[in-house]
């Protein structure tokens, strides 16, 4: 396996996906097999019990029988990295159903958010025809909260033909209560797994050949309470004894005491050679002959492993050829405790030997683990530095940061490449405390050393990855540009990013693209939109050339925001279409969902609402987490604007409320705050009072100093002032309003913001018309129409409602910008009227009305089925029919539409 790839063809993958073979001395337990009926599995089966109760053995026996396709994954502590965990989960599923998981793997390779991977995987599983079982063994080793949350989502959304089976020492933090209540959980616990007296007798006498009396069996079963590990240890201890009854009477205590006692008994019965081998190899999570030889120095490790396997000394085969093994976890714990007690001075040396073997076999993660355990931090630092580039490319930042933060601080003082890795890990999570100091430490290695000066720090520098060292000056400049941006220092951002471009080594596409994007962000915040557009276009092209396709999509979103402000709708559509083409060519990419949402917004402006909804639905199907940080709010805003165009103002406001809760502009300037968009919908709804309250809360006034960043809010202020006239609150548009619009238009024209200028001209036309100055209104409207025609603006006119329609008819009649005026009027005439409440009621059946009522509740689909005493499929059939008749696509829209109609 390569240095840091989460999954590759190699022994680690094979052993993790391998179903453990039945160990010698294990008896069949049909009563438990009957509980695990393969023809009636729920969504989740949980085998939960402490160590030594036979969980893995039971699952392996069950999987070996006939039944649905099954994928197996043995988990370990390294799988707490989300990228590693989900890559292995997909690999396990593909072992059972090869056609599943291709898109999810592509997302993993494209650095997509893990929630996007899970959502895509669920979509793929939904298309599987037959039943599939996924077994996750040793789930108690998963501690990452992010993984528990993603698994909870997976379990709740599993298609009915997919079944999850978890083996764990403790209950996982999953929604077990809800699953239990819905009948979607099968639980097998310690009480179920304990050997019954009959099973204990069969095991001890028939399997282990001890010929115990009934009283001895009963006493042993009572003392161990059917605990399988203790029974097995006791059986091994009693082999060859004459004093079996006395031995059974001689031990007692709690579980841990019994295991320690019995393990000591087993170890004492081994030869010195076997005992030394067991203790020294207990530091290994997996065993194979050459690795054991390297650690112990014993030359016959293969023969020793075969001997332990035959003696049933808690050795678990991990593959069919018996090349890789592991010790039973409970036995390994005891062995490591004995090693620490008896030979503590040997421990570090054993770990160093294991580190050397793994490093020689190109398994850096395991080598690093053993170097850390040996407290050989210089060796660990070297290995981490060499592994870091691959870890970053495979989205294992969590693993990288965990390793880096486990190193002592002094290690970074002489290792600038490693220190830069820690800077990147902090910046990636937005945790910038201490980053400035780290950058200072890194940059001191670049300062020229005067001739003859031998006291400089360069004599002490340690570098393992020399290619990365050459990139450090440009990397440091980019990170400083990022820090400056976070601090609101646009001049500093531009200066540092330009310095990064000057310091580039060869054609480093990642740093070149990042520097261009940072300069573009700074220009954008300053209102220098044409300069920002140029920089972002350069960043997109650079990332595409360098193969960083997901990063190119991220920059595409910012580029389109700028193009829209510049009034370049056609170019914006080309940008999004190019992004979608990349996603098609290179597999699902992080940001693909954002491309669909963006296209939906552009199609909405062109009044192609059905096509816009198709793209919005495509983005939703990919999952909002298949997008960038802004996706969650952007999707809801786009959906709200489509609702507004459809006249569903209540639905639009509900979506905007949701959008505000997940609002995240990432690093982009906050030029279109949700509050202003909500005020616009409220104005369209006729709720002028709420818009006025928003104006007051924001402290907006007609004589404010104007800036690009608050332009959208000031245009909304102008809309509010205009609405106060149309609702009779003021007699006519004030001079303050007209003056504000004039100043806004001048500012937009000066900044080349044609998109804003068109909207402002429309408001000016409406304001003049409200003053009954039709001549000036039509002259102003003519300018707006001429600008809009080339880019095919539609909704910016139609959203103004009846006053604009009247003005457009006057323009068409008087020969003012006739072509586009008539084009817009045709859109008004072709608009379908919404069905009336009575028409919808007449079309819905009584049962569908009842289902619709329950859809407005918190009940799940299965709960609704139980409430109505029908099958879940019947509920789904009614639901689809309701969606069709209401003209909606999902439950949320159905609830909103029914509320709008008063159903």
């Amino acid at each position: 396996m390569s240095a840091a790839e989460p999954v590759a063809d190699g022994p680690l993958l094979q052993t993790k996906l391998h179903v453990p073979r039945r160990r010698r001395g294990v008896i069949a337990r049909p009563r438990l097999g009957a509980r695990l009926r393969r023809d009636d599995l729920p969504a989740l089966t949980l085998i939960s019990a402490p160590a030594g109760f036979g969980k893995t053995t039971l699952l392996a026996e069950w999987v070996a029988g006939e039944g649905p396709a099954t994928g197996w994954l043995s988990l370990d502590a390294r799988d707490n990295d989300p990228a590693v965990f989900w890559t292995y989960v997909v690999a396990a599923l593909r072992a059972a159903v090869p056609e599943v998981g291709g898109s999810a793997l592509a997302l993993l390779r494209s650095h997509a958010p893990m929630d996007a991977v899970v959502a895509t995987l669920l979509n793929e599983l939904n298309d599987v025809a037959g039943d599939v079982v996924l077994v996750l063994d040793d789930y108690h080793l998963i501690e990452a909260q992010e993984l528990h949350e993603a698994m909870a989502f997976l379990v709740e959304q599993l298609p009915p033909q997919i079944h999850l089976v978890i083996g764990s020492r403790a209950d996982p933090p999953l929604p077990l209560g809800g699953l239990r209540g819905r009948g979607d959980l099968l639980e097998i616990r310690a009480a179920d797994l304990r050997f019954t007296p009959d099973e204990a007798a069969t095991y001890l006498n028939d399997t282990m050949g001890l010929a115990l009396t009934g009283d001895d069996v009963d006493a042993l079963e009572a003392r161990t309470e059917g605990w399988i590990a203790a029974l097995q240890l006791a059986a091994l201890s009693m082999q060859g004894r004459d004093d079996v009854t006395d031995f059974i009477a001689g031990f007692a205590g709690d579980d841990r005491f019994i295991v320690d006692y019995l393990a000591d008994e087993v170890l004492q019965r081994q030869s010195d050679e076997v005992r030394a081998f067991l203790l020294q190899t207990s530091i290994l999570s997996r065993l194979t002959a050459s690795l054991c030889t390297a650690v112990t120095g014993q030359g016959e490790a293969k023969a020793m492993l075969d001997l332990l396997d035959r003696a049933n000394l808690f050795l678990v085969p991990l593959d069919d050829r018996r090349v890789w093994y592991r010790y039973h976890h409970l036995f390994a714990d005891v062995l490591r405790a004995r090693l620490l007690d008896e030979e503590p001075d040997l421990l570090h040396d054993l770990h160093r030997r294991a580190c050397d073997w793994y490093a020689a076999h190109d398994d850096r993660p395991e080598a690093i683990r053993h170097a850390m355990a040996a407290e050989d931090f210089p060796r660990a630092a070297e290995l981490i530095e060499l592994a870091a580039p691959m870890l970053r490319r495979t989205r294992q930042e969590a693993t990288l940061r965990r390793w880096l933060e486990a190193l002592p601080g002094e290690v970074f003082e002489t290792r600038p490449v490693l220190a830069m890795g820690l800077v990147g890990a902090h910046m990636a999570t937005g945790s910038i405390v201490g980053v400035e100091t780290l950058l200072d430490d890194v940059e001191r290695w670049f300062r020229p050393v005067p001739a003859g000066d031998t006291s400089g720090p360069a004599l002490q520098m340690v570098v393992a990855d020399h290619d990365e060292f050459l990139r450090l000056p440009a990397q440091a400049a980019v990170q400083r540009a990022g820090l400056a941006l976070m601090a609101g220092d646009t001049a500093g951002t531009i200066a540092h990013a330009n310095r990064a471009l000057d310091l580039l080594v060869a054609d480093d596409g990642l740093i070149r693209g990042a520097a261009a994007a940072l300069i573009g962000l700074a220009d954008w915040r300053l209102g220098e939109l044409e300069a920002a557009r140029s920089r972002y276009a350069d960043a997109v092209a650079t990332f595409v050339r360098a193969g960083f396709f997901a990063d190119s999509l991220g920059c595409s979103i910012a580029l389109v925001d700028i193009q829209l402000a510049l009034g370049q709708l056609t170019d914006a559509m080309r940008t999004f279409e190019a992004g979608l083409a990349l996603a098609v060519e290179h597999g699902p990419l992080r940001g693909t969902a954002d491309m669909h949402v963006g296209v939906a917004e552009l199609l909405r402006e062109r009044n192609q609402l059905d096509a816009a909804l198709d793209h919005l639905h495509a983005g939703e199907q990919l999952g909002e987490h298949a997008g960038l940080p802004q996706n969650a709010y952007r999707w809801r805003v786009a959906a709200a604007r489509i609702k507004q165009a459809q006249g569903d103002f209540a639905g639009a406001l509900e979506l905007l409320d949701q959008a505000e809760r997940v609002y995240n502009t990432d690093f982009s300037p906050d030029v279109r705050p949700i509050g202003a968009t909500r005020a616009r919908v409220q104005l369209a709804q006729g709720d002028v009072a709420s818009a006025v309250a928003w104006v007051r809360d924001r402290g907006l006034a007609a004589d404010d100093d104007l800036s690009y960043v608050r332009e959208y809010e000031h245009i909304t202020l102008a809309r509010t002032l205009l609405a106060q006239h149309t609702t009779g609150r003021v007699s006519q548009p004030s001079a303050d309003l007209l003056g504000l619009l004039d100043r806004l238009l001048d500012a937009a024209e000066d900044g080349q913001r044609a998109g804003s200028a068109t909207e402002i001209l429309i408001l000016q036309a409406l304001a003049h018309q409200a003053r009954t100055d039709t001549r000036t209104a039509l002259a102003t409207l003519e300018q707006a129409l001429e600008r809009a025609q080339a880019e095919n603006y539609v909704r910016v006119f139609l959203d103004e409602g009846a006053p604009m329609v009247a003005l457009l008819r006057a323009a068409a009649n008087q020969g003012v910008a006739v072509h586009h005026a008539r084009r817009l009027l045709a859109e008004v005439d072709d608009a379908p009227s919404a069905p009336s409440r009575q028409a919808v009621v007449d079309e819905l059946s009584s049962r569908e009305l009842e289902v619709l009522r329950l859809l407005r509740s918190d009940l799940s689909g299965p709960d609704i089925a139980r409430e109505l005493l029908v099958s879940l499929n019947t509920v789904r059939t009614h639901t689809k029919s309701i969606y069709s008749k209401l003209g909606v696509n999902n439950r949320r829209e159905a609830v909103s539409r029914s509320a709008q109609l008063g159903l």
Side-chain angles (χ1 to χ4, degrees):
M1 189 178 78
S2 62
E5 291 181 12
V7 171
D9 290 332
L12 179 57
L13 172 63
Q14 299 305 318
T15 56
K16 289 180 72 65
L17 304 186
H18 179 79
V19 181
R21 296 176 69 96
R22 180 176 181 178
R23 301 204 310 273
R24 296 178 177 89
V26 174
I27 66 168
R29 307 177 74 190
R31 68 180 176 86
L32 293 177
R35 294 276 307 276
L36 293 165
R37 286 180 52 197
R38 285 175 165 265
D39 59 348
D40 189 28
L41 284 175
L44 174 63
T45 298
L46 176 63
I47 317 292
S48 179
F53 272 87
K55 300 181 294 295
T56 299
T57 301
L58 172 64
L59 287 173
E61 285 288 307
W62 176 69
V63 168
E66 294 184 2
T70 301
W72 179 286
L73 176 57
S74 297
L75 295 166
D76 58 53
R78 292 169 298 183
D79 301 330
N80 278 284
D81 187 306
V84 175
F85 178 89
W86 288 112
T87 308
Y88 278 132
V89 166
V90 173
L93 285 166
R94 286 170 71 83
V97 189
E99 64 269 21
V100 162
S103 296
L105 280 179
L107 279 176
L108 281 161
R109 297 187 186 110
S110 72
H111 299 188
M114 293 304 144
D115 287 346
V117 174
V118 178
T120 301
L121 181 60
L122 281 166
N123 287 337
E124 294 184 85
L125 290 173
N126 200 51
D127 295 333
V128 174
D131 282 354
V132 176
V133 176
L134 172 63
V135 178
L136 300 180
D137 196 24
D138 291 330
Y139 190 84
H140 57 274
L141 296 172
I142 299 302
E143 299 174 346
Q145 184 60 30
E146 178 183 354
L147 288 178
H148 293 316
E149 291 172 0
M151 282 295 296
F153 176 75
L154 180 79
V155 171
E156 291 280 20
Q157 303 297 324
L158 274 180
Q161 73 274 26
I162 309 300
H163 312 280
L164 181 63
V165 179
I166 287 179
S168 178
R169 292 186 184 180
D171 282 5
L174 301 177
L176 301 182
L179 292 168
R180 190 180 292 119
R182 297 196 299 269
D184 274 337
L185 176 65
L186 169 63
E187 299 169 88
I188 294 181
R189 299 189 172 275
D192 305 302
L193 292 168
R194 296 181 190 279
F195 269 9
T196 65
D198 289 344
E199 288 170 341
T202 300
Y203 172 71
L204 293 167
N205 290 331
D206 297 351
T207 303
M208 302 302 290
L210 292 176
L212 301 180
T213 66
D215 288 342
D216 287 339
V217 170
D218 290 343
L220 192 57
E221 194 276 334
R223 290 203 184 267
T224 62
E225 295 185 345
W227 188 22
I228 299 167
L231 282 170
Q232 188 174 4
L233 284 164
L236 289 170
S237 301
M238 288 186 291
Q239 286 180 333
R241 283 184 178 273
D242 296 326
D243 58 342
V244 168
T245 300
D246 292 339
F247 174 81
I248 293 171
F251 72 86
D254 61 23
D255 290 350
R256 186 74 246 182
F257 175 84
I258 292 173
V259 169
D260 290 349
Y261 175 83
L262 294 175
D264 278 342
E265 287 288 323
V266 171
L267 285 173
Q268 288 171 9
R269 297 169 68 83
Q270 309 308 316
S271 67
D272 290 343
E273 182 183 20
V274 169
R275 194 172 189 279
F277 183 92
L278 289 170
L279 293 180
Q280 292 174 20
T281 56
S282 67
I283 68 161
L284 302 172
S285 59
R286 296 176 295 126
L287 302 91
T288 194
S290 60
L291 172 58
C292 293
T293 295
V295 170
T296 66
Q298 295 185 20
E300 298 298 325
K302 179 67 172 71
M304 181 65 74
L305 289 171
D306 290 342
L307 172 66
L308 297 178
D309 191 16
R310 289 194 302 274
N312 198 26
L313 274 174
F314 295 91
L315 197 65
V316 180
L318 296 178
D319 56 49
D320 292 330
R321 296 178 297 137
R322 280 182 149 75
V323 173
W324 285 90
Y325 298 85
R326 68 168 173 85
Y327 290 122
H328 187 286
H329 298 311
L330 201 61
F331 192 55
D333 290 344
V334 173
L335 292 175
R336 283 191 290 270
R338 294 295 173 273
L339 175 64
L340 188 61
D341 286 344
E342 298 176 14
E343 298 186 82
D345 296 338
L346 184 59
L347 194 61
H348 283 177
D349 193 38
L350 293 172
H351 280 295
R352 286 192 192 94
R353 296 175 197 171
C355 171
D356 291 342
W357 188 91
Y358 276 114
H361 288 76
D362 204 25
D363 188 345
R364 285 192 188 129
E366 275 297 292
I368 291 165
R369 185 176 74 82
H370 284 288
M372 290 285 203
E375 297 184 5
D376 188 350
F377 298 119
R379 177 71 164 140
E382 175 190 359
L383 291 165
I384 293 170
E385 187 171 314
L386 293 171
M390 180 62 75
L391 285 166
R392 283 191 289 265
R393 279 195 292 273
T394 55
R395 285 298 308 277
Q396 298 182 61
E397 292 96 340
T399 295
L400 178 58
R401 182 168 181 176
R402 185 173 70 251
W403 286 344
L404 290 169
E405 292 181 342
L407 291 170
E410 59 267 20
V411 169
F412 297 97
E413 294 175 1
T414 57
R415 296 178 180 270
V417 175
L418 202 68
M420 184 58 76
L422 188 57
V423 168
H426 279 285
M427 292 290 282
T429 58
S431 174
I432 61 173
V433 176
V435 167
E436 189 106 30
T437 301
L438 278 169
L439 282 172
D440 288 340
D441 290 341
V442 169
E443 288 174 330
R444 68 190 174 97
W445 299 103
F446 310 148
R447 298 178 190 129
V449 179
D453 184 355
T454 60
S455 63
L459 295 176
Q460 307 167 12
M461 184 169 59
V462 180
V463 173
D465 190 332
H466 292 277
D467 289 339
E468 283 296 300
F469 178 75
L470 294 176
R471 300 178 68 240
L472 283 186
Q475 278 185 299
V478 162
Q479 299 292 13
R480 287 209 178 273
L483 284 175
L485 189 73
M486 290 180 183
D489 179 6
T490 52
T493 302
I494 293 171
H496 287 302
N498 276 320
R499 188 161 59 87
L501 293 173
D502 293 338
L503 293 171
L504 280 177
V505 177
D507 189 15
D508 190 327
L510 183 59
I511 291 180
R512 182 183 296 278
L518 284 164
I519 296 172
L521 266 172
D523 286 335
W524 191 4
R525 290 187 177 187
L526 292 169
E528 301 292 338
L529 267 64
E530 182 52 43
R533 185 207 61 76
S534 177
R535 288 291 188 176
Y536 265 109
D538 179 40
V540 170
T542 299
F543 283 135
V544 171
R545 285 196 303 272
F548 295 99
F549 302 116
D551 296 282
S552 76
L553 297 192
C555 287
S556 294
I557 295 168
L559 175 58
V560 166
D561 281 347
I562 295 166
Q563 288 170 326
L564 291 177
L566 293 170
Q568 300 168 354
L569 264 67
T570 303
D571 289 343
M573 185 64 84
R574 290 195 189 103
T575 299
F576 279 141
E577 288 172 344
L580 288 173
L582 280 175
V584 170
E585 183 178 354
H586 299 285
L589 300 171
R590 179 186 52 133
T592 304
D594 302 86
M595 300 297 101
H596 283 292
V597 172
V599 171
E601 273 276 37
L602 295 176
L603 291 171
R604 185 209 64 85
E605 175 54 45
R606 290 178 172 168
N607 205 36
Q608 299 173 28
L609 300 185
D610 288 342
L613 284 170
D614 288 343
H615 277 279
L616 204 62
H617 182 63
E620 185 180 35
Q621 287 296 104
L622 284 171
E624 66 186 35
H625 306 297
L628 297 153
Q630 304 176 39
N631 180 267
Y633 96 82
R634 281 181 178 268
W635 187 93
R636 288 167 173 82
V637 170
R641 285 167 61 77
I642 292 173
K643 289 283 189 188
Q644 180 184 355
Q646 294 172 327
D648 182 1
F649 301 119
L653 290 171
E654 179 185 349
L655 283 163
L656 290 174
D657 288 342
Q658 296 174 19
E660 195 159 45
R661 290 193 288 272
V662 292
Y663 193 54
N664 178 8
T665 64
D666 204 6
F667 288 107
S668 301
D670 186 11
V671 293
R672 285 181 173 254
I674 299 290
T677 303
R678 182 191 293 108
R680 292 179 175 219
V681 176
Q682 289 165 339
L683 289 171
Q685 190 181 31
D687 184 6
V688 179
S690 293
V692 170
W694 169 81
V695 168
R696 186 168 50 250
D697 289 343
R698 295 295 293 165
L700 295 168
D703 58 354
D704 285 343
D705 291 335
L706 302 182
S707 68
Y708 162 65
V709 173
R710 299 201 73 183
E711 182 177 72
Y712 186 73
E713 288 187 300
H714 279 112
I715 295 174
T716 309
L717 166 63
R719 290 179 169 280
T720 305
L721 295 175
L722 180 59
Q724 286 182 302
H725 162 70
T726 57
T727 57
R729 291 171 179 253
V730 295
S731 59
Q732 65 176 6
S734 66
D736 285 345
L737 168 59
L738 295 174
L740 173 60
L741 288 171
D742 286 340
R743 292 194 302 127
L744 283 169
L745 182 60
D746 289 342
E749 297 280 17
D750 289 345
Q752 299 178 286
R753 297 189 293 276
S756 298
T758 299
E759 182 182 1
I760 295 164
L761 285 167
I762 289 170
L763 293 178
Q764 283 184 323
L766 291 170
H768 289 302
Q769 180 68 2
R771 293 168 64 95
T772 67
D773 185 357
T774 303
R775 180 178 177 183
T776 306
L778 289 175
T780 307
L781 180 63
E782 183 174 20
Q783 295 180 58
L785 289 168
E786 288 173 349
R787 292 168 182 252
Q789 182 172 337
E791 296 292 342
N792 197 16
Y793 280 95
V794 177
R795 288 303 323 178
V796 70
F797 293 92
L798 300 190
D799 286 343
E800 304 304 330
M804 176 53 65
V805 172
L807 201 53
L808 286 171
R809 293 197 191 282
N813 291 335
Q814 296 183 33
V816 175
V818 173
H819 178 78
H820 200 51
R822 288 178 176 170
R823 156 89 171 82
L824 295 173
L825 289 170
E827 293 284 346
V828 175
D829 293 337
D830 291 342
S833 58
S836 67
R837 178 186 187 280
Q838 191 58 49
V840 173
V841 171
D842 290 344
E843 195 171 351
L844 290 170
S845 68
S846 58
R847 178 60 95 178
E848 287 169 348
L849 286 168
E850 194 172 5
V851 171
L852 180 58
R853 176 181 61 80
L854 293 173
L855 287 174
R856 292 196 293 267
S857 71
D858 293 332
L859 295 178
S860 66
D863 290 338
I864 292 174
R866 281 190 284 272
E867 178 77 13
L868 298 176
L869 302 177
V870 297
S871 71
L872 182 57
N873 282 336
T874 299
V875 170
R876 287 172 175 164
T877 299
H878 286 312
T879 302
K880 288 179 181 177
S881 177
I882 291 167
Y883 290 173
S884 175
K885 292 175 181 178
L886 291 179
V888 299
N889 296 304
N890 54 50
R891 182 172 181 173
R892 183 179 65 243
E893 291 179 358
V895 170
S896 177
R897 180 70 176 134
S898 66
Q900 181 186 5
L901 293 170
L903 297 178

